[in-house]
């Protein structure tokens, strides 16, 4: 029986993970749950799953949760902050960690799980976006097991030989006859909109994804295709792919989750319903398969499948991410930080939809111009670049509002 810590338990990935566990109660045990500040939902989860530990991101939320659980006579130990997150990610009682905290906040606990040699179910793409080489090297050094949860990376993973599956981050695609990795994306809700109309997109429109049910931040990233850009960077590190080997294809139906093309002309694709329970179930049970609670595709009902090349005029954030990927770790860290600040400003109606890319471009260029002054050779230096980029982005947005 696998014993789990779920980082990001109150989010969509956490909910899907618990759905899979509920379908397979004899195979998985929840030892620790961690979340941001949603005390009400965490209380419900603790009452249902009765974990040994619960962690909240801040002290106030932890204090409130502790008081609530004590009133319910629940013996779950409540911890808080980065220290608490790192503790439940690395302690001996757990062998598997679902890393699903959104954004840079997930980096430290995910790295703690890596260094402790756990099975890492990686849903937090920022861990690789921010610390790519450090992360994959730490996985190899500690003997941790890295399994990608993102539907696209999980699809690629399923289409690769087992020797690559067990050597992520340090594999040689060419050695196994792999020519291209095709990373698919839906194109979001505005793939057919007039470019002139994008400036007036509202937060409500941006978070209404046509295929997937996701949180607001990731939904906005999908609309700008920054999400695909971050996935591109993640794929580069996971599969040790060159720029020539890694391509993005827009696939509006989200039926094919990604593809791998081989030297002999073969293309392998992974297909399925747009439900995160499928890739989560695979990572939980790998190399076996378990019930995910997801129905199989009915090919008679699918209709046509279409594919488009990405238009960088429509998706400037995607182009920014691809360029940053091969500029260096400082560029991808800065881009990710700027984007988190910009998306938050957009969701709070302080920035227009099209200005998200403007902020991202300006901050990334500013950090890259400081290349000789910034280093990304340790977690501390990466977090410093992240801090600087957030400050630049916040100041830039404030100046635009003035």
């Amino acid at each position: 029986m696998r014993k789990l810590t779920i980082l990001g338990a109150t989010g969509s990935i956490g909910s899907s993970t618990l759905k899979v566990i509920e379908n397979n109660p004899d195979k998985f045990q929840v030892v620790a749950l961690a979340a941001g500040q949603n005390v009400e939902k965490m209380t419900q989860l603790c009452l249902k799953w009765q974990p040994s530990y619960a962690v909240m991101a801040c002290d106030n939320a932890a204090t409130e949760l502790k008081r609530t659980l004590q009133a319910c006579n629940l013996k779950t130990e409540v911890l808080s902050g980065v220290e608490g997150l790192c503790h439940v990610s690395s302690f001996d009682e757990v062998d598997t960690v679902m890393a699903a905290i959104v954004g840079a906040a997930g980096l430290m606990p995910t790295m703690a799980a890596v260094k402790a040699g756990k099975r890492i179910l990686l849903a937090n793409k920022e861990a690789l976006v921010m610390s790519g080489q450090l992360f994959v090297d730490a996985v190899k050094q500690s003997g941790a097991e890295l399994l990608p949860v993102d539907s696209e990376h999980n699809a690629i993973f399923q289409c690769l030989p087992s020797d690559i599956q067990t050597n992520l981050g340090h594999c040689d695609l060419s050695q196994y006859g792999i020519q291209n990795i095709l990373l698919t994306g839906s194109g979001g809700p505005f793939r057919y909109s007039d470019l002139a109309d994008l400036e007036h997109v509202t937060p409500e429109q941006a978070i209404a994804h046509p295929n997937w049910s996701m949180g607001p931040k990731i939904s906005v990233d999908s609309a700008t295709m920054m999400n695909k850009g971050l996935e591109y960077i993640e794929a580069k590190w996971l599969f040790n792919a060159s720029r020539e080997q890694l391509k993005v294809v827009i696939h509006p139906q989200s039926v094919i989750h990604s593809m791998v093309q081989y030297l002999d002309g073969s293309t392998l694709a992974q297909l399925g319903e747009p439900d995160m329970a499928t890739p989560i179930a695979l990572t939980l049970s790998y190399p076996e398969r378990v019930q995910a609670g997801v129905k199989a595709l009915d090919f008679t009902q699918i209709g046509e499948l279409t594919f488009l090349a990405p238009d960088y005029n429509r998706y400037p954030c995607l182009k920014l991410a691809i360029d940053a990927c091969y500029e260096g770790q400082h560029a991808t860290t800065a881009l990710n930080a700027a984007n988190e600040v910009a998306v938050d400003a957009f969701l709070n109606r302080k920035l227009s939809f099209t200005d998200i890319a403007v902020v991202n471009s300006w901050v990334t260029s500013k950090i890259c111009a400081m290349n000789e002054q910034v280093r990304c050779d340790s977690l501390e230096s990466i977090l410093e670049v992240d801090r600087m980029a957030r400050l630049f982005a916040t100041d830039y947005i404030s100046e635009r509002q003035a």
Side-chain angles (χ1 to χ4, degrees):
M1 179 176 284
R2 289 209 161 267
K3 298 183 177 180
L4 279 89
T5 285
I6 302 176
L7 303 175
T10 58
S12 60
I13 296 293
S15 297
S16 294
T17 303
L18 291 167
K19 169 186 168 183
V20 175
I21 293 171
E22 197 163 20
N23 282 323
N24 301 275
D26 58 325
K27 297 182 183 297
F28 309 109
Q29 178 187 345
V30 176
V31 177
L33 297 172
Q37 300 183 49
N38 192 336
V39 174
E40 183 180 354
K41 188 165 184 181
M42 182 61 106
T43 300
Q44 295 170 359
L45 293 180
C46 288
L47 289 171
K48 179 173 181 177
W49 294 97
Q50 300 191 16
S52 299
Y53 299 87
V55 186
M56 303 303 292
C58 68
D59 292 341
N60 289 341
T63 300
E64 185 181 345
L65 178 66
K66 187 174 184 178
R67 189 184 308 117
T68 304
L69 296 185
Q70 284 177 341
C72 298
N73 293 317
L74 204 62
K75 295 181 179 179
T76 297
E77 183 177 345
V78 179
L79 306 174
S80 69
V82 174
E83 186 177 346
L85 292 169
C86 290
H87 176 69
V88 297
S89 299
S90 59
F91 65 169
D92 292 340
E93 294 97 314
V94 159
D95 54 49
T96 302
V97 176
M98 169 57 76
I101 294 177
V102 174
L107 175 58
M108 294 297 284
T110 304
M111 188 63 88
V114 168
K115 291 180 177 178
K118 307 301 184 184
R119 169 177 280 198
I120 317 296
L121 315 184
L122 189 65
N124 170 278
K125 57 179 62 66
E126 288 79 10
L128 281 170
V129 169
M130 293 176 65
S131 67
Q133 192 67 58
L134 276 174
F135 192 92
V136 295
D137 287 350
V139 167
K140 189 165 189 175
Q141 185 176 358
S142 68
E145 190 178 8
L146 183 60
L147 296 169
V149 170
D150 268 349
S151 61
E152 295 82 0
H153 303 95
N154 190 272
I156 294 162
F157 177 86
Q158 293 192 53
C159 295
L160 292 172
S162 59
D163 285 354
I164 291 182
Q165 291 178 344
T166 54
N167 192 31
L168 294 185
H170 296 89
C171 50
D172 183 345
L173 297 178
S174 299
Q175 180 184 345
Y176 291 89
I178 295 162
Q179 195 166 45
N180 295 307
I181 287 175
L182 303 181
L183 195 64
T184 63
S186 72
F190 311 123
R191 56 181 171 259
Y192 302 124
S193 302
D194 289 338
L195 292 178
D197 294 338
L198 296 182
E199 182 182 354
H200 307 293
V201 164
T202 67
E204 290 78 15
Q205 291 171 322
I207 64 177
H209 194 279
N211 301 336
W212 295 91
S213 175
M214 305 179 291
K217 195 269 180 182
I218 297 177
S219 296
V220 174
D221 282 351
S222 179
T224 64
M225 282 200 81
M226 175 57 85
N227 200 43
K228 201 56 49 184
L230 298 178
E231 288 173 4
Y232 182 101
I233 298 166
E234 187 181 6
K236 185 260 188 191
W237 290 113
L238 278 172
F239 308 115
N240 197 24
S242 68
R243 190 165 190 157
E244 294 71 31
Q245 291 171 320
L246 193 51
K247 304 180 187 302
V248 175
V249 177
I250 293 178
H251 169 48
Q253 294 81 14
S254 297
V255 172
I256 295 177
H257 298 309
S258 276
M259 297 172 274
V260 175
Q261 292 182 321
Y262 286 82
L263 204 59
D264 61 4
S266 299
T267 299
L268 302 188
Q270 188 267 339
L271 292 74
E273 293 284 344
D275 190 322
M276 287 304 299
T278 297
I280 288 167
L282 180 75
T283 58
L284 280 169
S285 61
Y286 179 83
E288 298 176 359
R289 292 182 184 264
V290 296
Q291 283 286 345
V294 180
K295 65 179 181 179
L297 283 175
D298 181 348
F299 283 91
T300 66
Q301 300 299 314
I302 288 175
E304 65 178 13
L305 302 180
T306 54
F307 305 90
L308 306 164
D311 175 1
Y312 295 130
N313 292 318
R314 183 179 301 277
Y315 304 115
C317 285
L318 174 60
K319 182 65 163 58
L320 281 171
I322 292 172
D323 289 343
C325 184
Y326 297 98
E327 178 72 26
Q329 202 71 72
H330 59 291
T332 57
T333 299
L335 177 62
N336 177 70
N339 185 65
E340 287 191 20
V341 174
V343 170
D344 182 69
F346 166 70
L347 288 170
N348 286 287
R349 305 179 195 280
K350 297 176 182 178
L351 195 69
S352 73
F353 181 76
T354 50
D355 277 345
I356 293 172
V358 175
V359 173
N360 291 346
S361 178
W362 187 87
V363 172
T364 305
S365 296
K366 189 171 179 65
I367 291 290
C368 287
M370 301 168 60
N371 191 17
E372 294 184 3
Q373 300 168 252
V374 296
R375 299 168 58 195
C376 285
D377 54 2
S378 67
L379 280 182
E380 292 73 22
S381 61
I382 288 168
L383 291 172
E384 176 59 17
V385 172
D386 177 82
R387 186 195 67 79
M388 290 168 55
R390 289 173 192 276
L391 187 61
F392 289 150
T394 301
D395 288 348
Y396 187 71
I397 293 168
S398 297
E399 289 173 8
R400 290 179 71 87
Q401 288 181 287

